[in-house]
Amino acid sequence: MNEAVLAPKKTVFSGVQPSGNLTIGNYLGAIKNFSRFSEEYKTFYCVVDMHAITVRQVPAELRRRTYETLALYMACGLDEKKNTLFVQSHVPEHAELGWILNCYTMFGELSRMTQFKDKSAKHAQNINAGLFTYPTLMAADILLYQTDVVPVGVDQKQHLELARDIATRFNQAYSDTFKIPEGFIPKETMKIMSLADPTSKMSKSDPNQNSVVYILDSKDDVMRKFKKAVTDSEACVKYSEDKPGVSNLMSIYRAFTGKTFEEIEREFEGKGYGDFKLAVGEACADGLRPVREEFARLMADKAHLESVMKAGAEDAHHYAMRTMSKVKRKIGFVY
Ligand code: TYM
């Protein structure tokens, strides 16, 4: 038997909050990339419901979105037999390690997190401690599985760096306990921008519905939103930092068609933004159609979704316990 056969698989972990309808930012920036790891890595993809409650949720909606996010994972090509698909709150070790890591994370570090600052500004009535310690729970998610690679959008980079710092600090205080994870943040799709304001991130919590394309939007909605997308007055399809609207649309078009920026520029030479926006809308709606159809099929069988989350939690729990027993022994808990 050769070495490669004997070597353990590397591990991938990522998560998505069931806190709103998922956008093409979530899709292109994260979920679409998840399946590329399924064959060669041990993959854990988690619906992070405990992160979602850092902002008030309507209970029935949170429950529904938890099923929906799992179904979307599967509709986006994640086979439950090749990936461990589960819900964060079903594996109590996440909360347990989250607490422990709080004691190895500095107040100053958490205070510097830009997402905390943004969310505190947005939810000024509810700046709870969970919102503040959100990144330590995220570090626990990742470190619990001895993760090598974390596919995310660029907005999670700061959290990921903190997870690395916490792991390094813990390893130095005791001895090697956690793997130090690396991000997988492909440049082309790391930040899909809002269609209404291309200088800010497309976000599922944006109240302006026209700025966001949801994975489950109908073709009519997708076309309407792209038609309204903010561009500029030049009417020239060219990728450039000072043309954020057009460049964002080009990134989306590229992600759905596989064409390069040069090919896109040539395709729309001498044509106006109207034609271009139509083409982006078509490509996006066509790309999402199979996801939408598969999603509808999966949501019709809740019992199957429940069996997937149950099996996923059992598998995840098995790995999580191994790390927890190591952690508890090292810090001196009677175990
Ligand atoms: P969340 O639920 O906000 O987003 C899920 C994933 O989608 C990416 N993303 C984007 N990528 C490109 N352009 C956009 N406009 C865009 N919007 C969102 C996010 O970067 C993310 O990868 N804290 C995480 C969830 C989490 C997690 C984890 C991720 C909890 N624990 C452990 C990785 C590993 C979050 O809020 O993602």
Side-chain angles (χ1 to χ4, degrees):
M1 220 182 276
N2 67 31
E3 284 287 308
V5 175
L6 288 171
K9 277 184 173 181
K10 287 197 167 182
T11 299
V12 171
F13 182 97
S14 198
V16 175
Q17 292 191 69
S19 55
N21 294 326
L22 300 192
T23 73
I24 58 167
N26 298 126
Y27 178 66
L28 300 176
I31 305 174
K32 190 167 176 268
N33 297 321
F34 290 175
S35 58
R36 68 166 78 195
F37 297 101
S38 302
E39 297 294 339
E40 304 201 350
Y41 290 73
K42 170 73 187 161
T43 51
F44 296 91
Y45 295 121
C46 184
V47 181
V48 291
D49 54 349
M50 294 199 297
H51 277 106
I53 61 162
T54 53
V55 169
R56 287 284 171 269
Q57 302 291 335
V58 176
E61 281 180 16
L62 178 61
R63 204 169 293 125
R64 174 174 55 78
R65 288 194 172 124
T66 301
Y67 283 97
E68 286 179 355
T69 306
L70 179 75
L72 266 179
Y73 277 170
M74 295 163 75
C76 291
L78 293 177
D79 178 344
E80 71 273 22
K81 294 192 187 73
K82 294 186 181 163
N83 305 272
T84 302
L85 308 178
F86 71 107
V87 177
Q88 188 185 32
S89 65
H90 294 178
V91 181
E93 284 81 2
H94 288 252
E96 203 178 4
L97 183 59
W99 170 257
I100 292 174
L101 295 183
N102 271 336
C103 306
Y104 298 83
T105 308
M106 300 303 130
F107 183 87
E109 286 175 316
L110 292 173
S111 310
R112 284 194 288 278
M113 295 291 116
T114 55
Q115 190 167 300
F116 171 68
K117 292 184 205 165
D118 291 349
K119 286 204 177 173
S120 311
K122 271 196 203 144
H123 303 276
Q125 305 309 315
N126 184 23
I127 307 177
N128 60 70
L131 200 59
F132 188 62
T133 59
Y134 179 113
T136 47
L137 180 59
M138 180 162 158
D141 298 340
I142 297 167
L143 302 179
L144 207 42
Y145 299 97
Q146 305 295 344
T147 301
D148 296 281
V149 184
V150 186
V152 278
V154 78
D155 61 330
Q156 297 303 316
K157 194 168 175 224
Q158 197 186 26
H159 289 163
L160 188 60
E161 276 161 10
L162 180 62
R164 288 166 56 91
D165 291 345
I166 298 170
T168 305
R169 181 173 302 138
F170 193 98
N171 288 350
Q172 279 168 358
Y174 302 97
S175 58
D176 271 357
T177 309
F178 297 120
K179 273 249 181 83
I180 309 296
E182 300 283 343
F184 176 84
I185 308 176
K187 197 164 176 291
E188 310 81 54
T189 50
M190 64 184 187
K191 196 169 187 187
I192 302 298
M193 309 306 273
S194 151
L195 298 190
D197 170 13
T199 58
S200 68
K201 187 189 83 165
M202 183 182 284
S203 160
K204 50 176 145 36
S205 59
D206 193 327
N208 178 359
Q209 300 282 305
N210 285 325
S211 69
V212 183
V213 178
Y214 299 107
I215 302 178
L216 298 174
D217 269 347
S218 68
K219 180 162 187 177
D220 284 352
D221 282 341
V222 173
M223 298 304 291
R224 181 177 48 77
K225 290 177 182 180
F226 278 111
K227 236 184 244 172
K228 282 200 181 148
V230 167
T231 42
D232 55 57
S233 53
E234 265 182 57
C236 161
V237 177
K238 194 165 174 37
Y239 191 88
S240 153
E241 285 204 352
D242 57 7
K243 288 162 71 77
V246 176
S247 301
N248 186 40
L249 295 183
M250 288 178 75
S251 298
I252 295 170
Y253 191 57
R254 175 167 74 169
F256 279 108
T257 60
K259 294 176 184 171
T260 64
F261 285 145
E262 294 74 42
E263 285 169 335
I264 299 169
E265 285 173 2
R266 248 180 281 128
E267 184 178 350
F268 293 97
E269 218 176 300
K271 293 185 185 160
Y273 286 152
D275 287 339
F276 177 53
K277 288 180 183 180
L278 218 64
V280 183
E282 291 274 353
C284 175
D286 289 350
L288 294 176
R289 191 189 317 113
V291 176
R292 244 187 4 247
E293 289 170 358
E294 185 60 6
F295 173 82
R297 199 184 65 74
L298 288 159
M299 282 302 286
D301 189 354
K302 243 178 158 184
H304 178 58
L305 292 176
E306 281 166 0
S307 75
V308 170
M309 53 175 88
K310 184 164 182 278
E314 276 167 16
D315 187 54
H317 180 61
H318 167 78
Y319 288 88
M321 273 194 328
R322 279 205 226 162
T323 299
M324 281 314 292
S325 82
K326 236 172 150 184
V327 168
K328 286 180 179 174
R329 268 186 284 110
K330 296 218 181 176
I331 57 183
F333 287 176
V334 174
Y335 188 65

